[in-house]
């Protein structure tokens, strides 16, 4: 343990959570949009 | 490809907007020196057909050829000789009739006699008035004079009679005969087949984007 | 080889001739409808006033003078670009030019230079007013100040004209133009604002010339690139 | 789904690689001496930056190709890579902020790299808005291709002009004495991001294609028999 300030870990946690949420969220949106048929007109 | 006869050849032309085919399977020929009228109800594709031939739209299928040359492929050079009177007048509101004509002549490098053109369409007394003050019929006349400036090999008229008074309509008939006399092709879309028949020897009818074979 | 050379020269001459005619036509339209130009001018004036009201001290205002002038010119340019294309779209004149035997780059050069001229004139009228309002006495040469106004105007007009050609054919153009244009003109705005400030304030390290060179470089990049892209954009419906 | 799609294989591989790389980044990589645990943010921040640039470069190449060839597939590719690029850049800037706060004690610095990245993001968001505004498919394709080329060329210009402007700022260079273990973890994450981006672009391309075909590809009506 050679950390300078203990509170800094929160930034690491935040960064990884943000990464997972962003990539996961976008991937999920791609899967949902990919399975949706576009509205057929005439 | 079989070699095309001179004049205008429409070869299985089709154009769509989104999913809808505005015109499809259009094929006809117009010989040099002949005027042809295109009729049909509103929305039958007359304007789209004319816009395709005028190179304002690329045909999605088939081709239009003038004297054996594909109009779209040769559009850069063809535009010099194809005149198109569309629904839009191509006018600048704040310029006078003469300024408008002069600007277009300079842009295309046409050595046209602007005063004679204005006189030809009967706008002589109004030549220095801004177009803003013009009525719809006067704008139509001015737009016609812009098209005439090109001394075209192919003249396309989209409802040339619209907004014109009887003298104006007579002028259009006169102009068509004059252009035909130079061995050029005239193609006009119109809702007045009887009036147009005075100058047109050929007739193509469209219904919901398809050619009606007589 | 010689033939190719003659061909290129004759193409460039034709391009130049057509550009001049497009430019003349645009300036004539401006000249015949002065209310449009005056509208843009007073818009820029009003912006300068607002900036002055929003700054708290004279000292801050003085240091911001260069930047304020360019913010005023940038916002005014979106108005004037919008108007210049509105006149073209009103009766399909832009399409008319595409169907006329005119090379699309010539339409671009003529229109962009007309827009640059208008912006330059607005800048010329606006600057003395802004200097008086912000209580600034220029330390550098007036010629250099003029050069910044000129090259800044041309650098804004080139991408502005291309993007307005795009947005005027789309819905909601008044929102789209700033959205597309502002990120693009960041370096131009920065060089112009920074350089103008250096001309207005004591420029101890003589850095203003470097910013002028930068502005000229932006011009050299944006003019040919936008001219090349203009053709496909105005013929967009035809593809 | 009815048929095998190559990108799903890439996707599975990317997911596995990502899981391993993230585990290494979080738990096995040695924390750097001076910045302690915070350095772990770099294992996601730097790959996001690389991949964001890669996707925008791909969009630029696609846009140029589209203007030359007019192939609609390339337009769908521009749409796909632009959107993935915007997601990556948004992530990149957020992560950068999260790294800047504990190390520089600010959320944002007017520094060349940050400024040019923000400009890039704004430009490409503008292009996505433009795409959503233009109805006509042909126009949309040409307009966004032109705007993409202009925006992409602008990014290095912004970078250099801002660098010229802010010469006072220290340049956050990568320390020369980087632990080889860290380099390995960084590379593993970069490749994981790359494969994720490839999967995303492929998926997004299929969506664009599906919409594009639904928009404009009815068969030509049959010949009229007189």
């Amino acid at each position: 343990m050679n950390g300078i300030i203990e509170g800094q870990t929160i930034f690491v946690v935040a960064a990884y959570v943000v990464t997972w949420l962003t990539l996961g969220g976008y991937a999920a949106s791609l899967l949902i949009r990919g399975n949706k048929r576009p509205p057929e007109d005439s | 490809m079989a070699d095309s006869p001179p004049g205008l050849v429409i070869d299985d032309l089709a154009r769509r907007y989104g999913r809808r085919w505005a015109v499809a399977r259009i094929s006809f020929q117009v010989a040099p020196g002949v005027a042809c009228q295109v009729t049909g109800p509103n929305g039958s594709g007359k304007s789209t057909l004319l816009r395709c031939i005028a190179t304002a739209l690329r045909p999605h299928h088939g081709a239009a050829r003038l004297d054996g040359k594909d109009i779209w492929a040769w559009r850069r050079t063809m535009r010099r000789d194809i005149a198109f009177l569309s629904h839009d007048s191509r006018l600048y509101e704040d310029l006078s009739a003469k300024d408008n004509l002069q600007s277009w002549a300079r842009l295309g490098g046409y050595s046209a006699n602007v005063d004679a053109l204005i006189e030809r369409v009967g706008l002589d007394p109004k030549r220095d008035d801004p177009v803003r003050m013009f009525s719809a019929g006067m704008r139509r006349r001015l737009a016609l004079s812009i098209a005439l400036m090109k001394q075209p090999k192919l003249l396309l008229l989209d409802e040339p009679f619209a907004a014109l008074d009887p003298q104006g309509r007579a002028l259009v008939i006169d102009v068509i005969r004059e252009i035909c006399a130079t061995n050029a092709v005239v193609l006009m879309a119109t809702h007045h087949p009887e009036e147009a028949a005075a100058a047109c020897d050929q007739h193509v009818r469209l219904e919901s984007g398809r050619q009606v074979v007589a | 080889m010689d033939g190719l050379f003659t061909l290129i020269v004759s193409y460039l001459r034709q391009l130049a001739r057509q550009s001049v005619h497009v430019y003349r036509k645009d300036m004539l339209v401006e000249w015949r409808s002065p209310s449009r130009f005056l509208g843009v001018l007073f818009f820029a004036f009003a912006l300068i006033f607002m900036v002055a009201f929003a700054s708290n001290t004279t000292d801050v205002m003085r240091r911001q003078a260069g930047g304020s002038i360019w913010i005023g010119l940038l916002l005014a340019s979106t108005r004037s670009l919008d108007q210049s294309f509105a006149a073209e779209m009103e009766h399909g004149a832009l399409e008319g030019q595409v169907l006329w035997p005119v090379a699309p780059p010539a339409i671009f050069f003529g229109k962009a230079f007309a827009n640059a001229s208008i912006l330059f004139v607005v800048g010329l009228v606006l600057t003395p007013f802004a200097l008086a309002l912000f209580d600034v006495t220029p330390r550098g040469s007036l010629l250099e100040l003029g050069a910044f106004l000129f090259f800044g105007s041309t650098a804004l007009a080139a991408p502005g004209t291309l993007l307005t050609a795009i947005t005027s054919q789309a819905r909601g153009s008044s929102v789209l133009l700033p959205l597309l244009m502002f990120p693009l003109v960041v370096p131009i705005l920065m060089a112009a604002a920074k350089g103008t400030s250096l001309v207005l304030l004591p420029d101890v390290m003589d850095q203003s010339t470097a910013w002028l060179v930068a502005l000229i470089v932006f011009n050299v990049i944006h003019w040919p690139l936008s001219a090349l892209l203009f053709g496909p954009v105005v013929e967009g419906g035809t593809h | 789904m009815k048929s095998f799609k190559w990108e799903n294989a890439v996707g599975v591989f990317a997911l596995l690689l990502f899981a391993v790389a993230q585990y290494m980044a979080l738990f096995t990589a040695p924390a750097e001496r001076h910045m302690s645990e915070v350095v772990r943010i770099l294992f996601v921040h730097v790959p996001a930056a690389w991949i964001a640039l890669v996707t925008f470069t791909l969009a630029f190449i696609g846009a140029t190709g589209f203007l030359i060839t007019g192939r609609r597939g390339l337009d769908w590719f521009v749409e796909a890579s632009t959107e993935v690029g915007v997601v990556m850049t948004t992530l990149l800037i957020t992560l950068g902020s999260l790294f800047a706060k504990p190390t520089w004690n600010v959320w944002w610095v007017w520094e060349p790299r940050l400024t040019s990245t923000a400009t890039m993001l704004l430009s490409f968001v503008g292009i996505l808005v433009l795409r959503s505004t233009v109805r006509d498919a042909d126009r949309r394709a040409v307009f966004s291709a032109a705007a993409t080329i202009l925006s992409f060329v602008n990014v290095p210009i912004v970078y250099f002009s801002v660098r010229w402007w802010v010469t006072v700022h220290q340049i956050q260079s990568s320390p020369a004495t980087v632990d080889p273990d860290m380099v390995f973890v960084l590379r593993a994450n970069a490749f994981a991001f790359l494969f994720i981006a490839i999967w995303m672009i492929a998926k997004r391309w299929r969506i664009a294609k599906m919409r594009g075909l639904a928009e404009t590809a009815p068969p030509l009506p049959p010949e009229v028999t007189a």
Side-chain angles (χ1 to χ4, degrees):
Chain A
M1 267 298 151
N2 47 9
I4 299 165
I5 306 162
E6 280 303 308
Q8 285 183 349
T9 323
I10 189 76
F11 289 102
V12 181
V13 174
Y16 279 80
V17 169
V18 163
T19 307
W20 299 335
L21 285 182
T22 310
L23 296 182
Y26 185 65
S29 94
L30 284 178
L31 290 173
I32 292 167
R33 283 190 287 174
N35 285 330
K36 201 157 50 186
R37 294 281 120 199
E40 290 285 330
D41 54 348
S42 69
Chain B
M1 190 197 303
D3 51 343
S4 279
L8 179 68
V9 176
I10 309 297
D11 181 12
D12 198 17
L13 190 126
R15 166 82 201 188
R16 57 166 187 263
Y17 293 124
R19 288 187 62 80
R20 193 176 62 84
W21 286 99
V23 291
R25 304 284 184 207
I26 310 287
S27 297
F28 61 90
Q29 302 183 3
V30 187
V34 173
C36 171
Q37 58 166 318
V38 182
T39 58
N42 290 333
S44 57
K46 301 188 298 295
S47 291
T48 305
L49 175 63
L50 257 60
R51 287 174 60 76
C52 281
I53 302 171
T55 73
L57 294 172
R58 179 175 64 91
H60 282 129
H61 182 87
R65 282 190 280 275
L66 184 64
D67 293 333
K69 269 187 181 172
D70 187 316
I71 290 182
W72 178 257
W74 290 87
R75 62 190 184 282
R76 290 263 182 265
T77 45
M78 285 285 197
R79 280 171 182 163
R80 177 156 290 281
D81 299 314
I82 299 177
F84 178 35
L85 176 71
S86 78
H87 287 292
D88 292 323
S89 59
R90 326 281 197 214
L91 298 173
Y92 293 96
E93 290 273 300
D94 297 307
L95 299 189
S96 69
K98 193 174 170 177
D99 285 339
N100 264 297
L101 271 182
Q102 232 153 22
S103 298
W104 285 108
R106 285 204 198 104
L107 273 181
Y110 294 111
S111 52
N113 184 342
V114 171
D115 289 307
L117 274 172
I118 293 183
E119 219 174 302
R120 178 83 180 83
V121 294
L123 289 174
D124 213 21
K126 306 275 187 185
R127 74 176 69 200
D128 291 321
D129 289 3
V131 169
R132 206 184 314 115
M133 327 262 277
F134 278 25
S135 69
M138 289 159 76
R139 285 156 192 259
R140 205 77 184 137
R141 285 166 184 255
L142 195 56
L144 180 67
S145 73
I146 292 177
L148 289 182
M149 171 192 301
K150 281 185 168 180
Q151 297 178 316
K153 284 185 196 155
L154 171 61
L155 177 63
L156 301 161
L157 305 165
D158 198 352
E159 303 193 17
F161 297 136
L164 285 180
D165 53 15
Q167 290 95 319
R169 295 204 285 270
L171 171 74
V172 171
I173 297 288
D174 227 41
V175 161
I176 294 173
R177 287 195 178 128
E178 194 180 290
I179 296 285
C180 283
T182 65
N183 226 21
V185 174
V186 179
L187 189 67
M188 73 188 275
T190 182
H191 286 298
H192 301 89
E194 314 81 30
E195 223 154 337
C200 299
D201 311 316
Q202 205 180 331
H203 190 165
V204 170
R205 190 168 163 76
L206 298 184
E207 247 166 49
S208 54
R210 304 297 203 88
Q211 200 170 348
V212 178
V213 182
Chain C
M1 212 56 209
D2 227 30
L4 185 71
F5 182 72
T6 350
L7 207 69
I8 292 173
V9 167
S10 79
Y11 174 76
L12 289 180
R13 284 179 63 162
Q14 190 184 343
L15 200 66
R17 186 187 62 80
Q18 291 176 344
S19 307
V20 169
H21 289 314
V22 175
Y23 177 74
R24 275 178 67 174
K25 182 262 299 167
D26 262 49
M27 292 317 276
L28 190 65
V29 172
E30 285 300 328
W31 183 251
R32 290 288 155 80
S33 51
S35 58
R36 278 178 29 197
F37 172 74
L38 290 177
V40 171
L41 189 63
F42 282 111
F43 181 72
F45 270 88
L47 278 170
I48 292 285
F49 253 113
M50 293 304 121
V51 170
F53 283 134
S55 324
N56 39 13
T57 65
T58 329
D59 195 43
V60 169
M61 259 163 59
R62 208 171 282 147
R63 274 185 281 124
Q64 283 180 343
S68 307
I69 291 171
W70 280 102
I71 288 289
L73 280 178
L74 174 65
L75 294 180
S77 82
T78 63
R79 303 304 319 137
S80 107
L81 283 165
D82 247 3
Q83 286 183 353
S84 122
F85 273 88
E88 297 284 351
M89 306 306 283
E90 195 174 9
H91 296 299
L94 187 62
E95 188 188 75
Q97 284 169 71
V98 173
L99 301 185
W100 217 246
V102 186
I107 308 177
F108 172 80
F109 285 129
K111 281 205 81 63
F113 201 66
N115 282 315
S117 308
I118 292 161
L119 212 54
F120 179 57
V121 173
V122 171
L124 282 185
V125 181
L126 186 71
T127 305
F129 172 79
L131 295 187
L133 203 65
F134 291 141
D135 189 26
V136 179
T137 322
R139 310 287 176 91
S141 80
L142 288 179
L143 196 69
E144 202 177 353
L145 187 60
F148 270 107
L149 285 178
F150 180 78
F151 288 111
S153 302
T154 52
L156 281 181
T161 302
L162 178 72
L163 293 175
T164 317
I166 291 176
T167 57
S168 63
Q169 298 180 63
R171 287 175 302 147
S173 62
S174 50
V175 194
L176 261 181
L177 178 62
L179 196 65
L180 290 172
M181 185 170 165
F182 289 176
L184 262 175
V185 298
V186 163
I188 297 161
L189 190 75
M190 219 164 53
K194 191 74 184 164
T196 309
S197 294
L198 286 172
V199 177
L200 298 180
L201 303 168
D203 179 12
V204 276
M205 286 155 78
D206 192 30
Q207 290 174 313
S208 65
T209 322
W211 286 111
L212 193 59
V213 172
L215 263 187
I216 292 170
V217 170
F218 298 152
N219 274 295
V220 170
I221 295 169
H222 275 294
W223 279 80
L225 183 65
S226 302
L228 275 178
L229 294 173
F230 191 77
V233 163
V234 288
E235 274 195 298
T238 58
H239 271 284
Chain D
M1 291 318 282
K2 47 185 184 288
S3 63
F4 173 79
K5 295 200 177 91
W6 63 266
E7 78 267 18
N8 288 338
V10 174
V12 170
F13 175 67
L15 200 62
L16 290 175
L17 183 59
F18 185 68
V20 174
Q22 293 280 290
Y23 176 81
M24 288 195 297
L26 273 175
F27 300 111
T28 68
E32 200 247 8
R33 211 161 285 132
H34 301 294
M35 280 181 275
S36 80
E37 300 296 320
V38 178
V39 81
R40 296 192 193 280
I41 297 179
L42 290 182
F43 294 132
V44 278
H45 175 66
V46 174
W50 287 344
I51 302 310
L53 265 181
V54 167
T55 49
F56 284 138
T57 312
L58 289 176
F60 169 73
I61 294 169
T64 314
F66 173 79
L67 283 186
I68 293 168
T69 65
R71 291 177 67 116
R72 303 195 53 210
L74 285 171
D75 174 50
W76 301 330
F77 181 71
V78 172
E79 179 174 318
S81 39
T82 305
E83 198 179 287
V84 175
V86 165
V87 171
M88 285 291 176
T89 313
T90 313
L91 178 64
L92 154 71
I93 290 181
T94 318
L95 294 177
S97 238
L98 285 172
F99 184 67
K101 186 64 187 171
T103 51
W104 303 341
N105 202 28
V106 279
W107 294 106
W108 184 262
V109 192
W110 288 105
E111 182 260 352
R113 201 164 288 182
L114 269 68
T115 313
S116 53
T117 310
T119 321
M120 179 167 78
L121 179 63
L122 286 178
S123 295
F124 284 92
V125 168
I127 291 165
L128 287 182
V129 175
L130 175 71
R131 287 193 73 92
S132 69
T133 326
V134 184
R135 277 269 175 73
D136 182 66
D138 302 325
R139 280 175 194 244
R140 189 199 304 138
V142 175
F143 291 173
S144 56
T148 303
I149 292 173
L150 212 56
S151 303
F152 185 80
V153 171
N154 204 45
V155 172
I157 306 181
V158 179
Y159 180 77
F160 285 112
S161 58
V162 186
R163 196 160 86 165
W164 211 355
W165 192 14
V166 211
T167 40
V168 281
H169 190 273
Q170 88 272 21
I171 285 156
Q172 197 71 27
S173 54
S174 54
T177 54
V178 193
D179 198 318
D181 286 350
M182 283 180 65
V183 174
F184 176 75
V185 175
L186 193 61
R187 288 219 177 118
N189 274 287
F191 275 106
F193 269 69
L194 178 66
F195 286 114
I196 289 174
I198 291 174
W199 177 82
M200 282 174 170
I201 292 176
K203 263 296 185 233
R204 188 63 186 79
W205 185 83
R206 289 204 195 277
I207 296 170
K209 181 184 178 184
M210 188 171 70
R211 288 183 186 163
L213 291 182
E215 209 170 39
T216 56
L220 196 66
E223 193 97 40
V224 189
T225 42

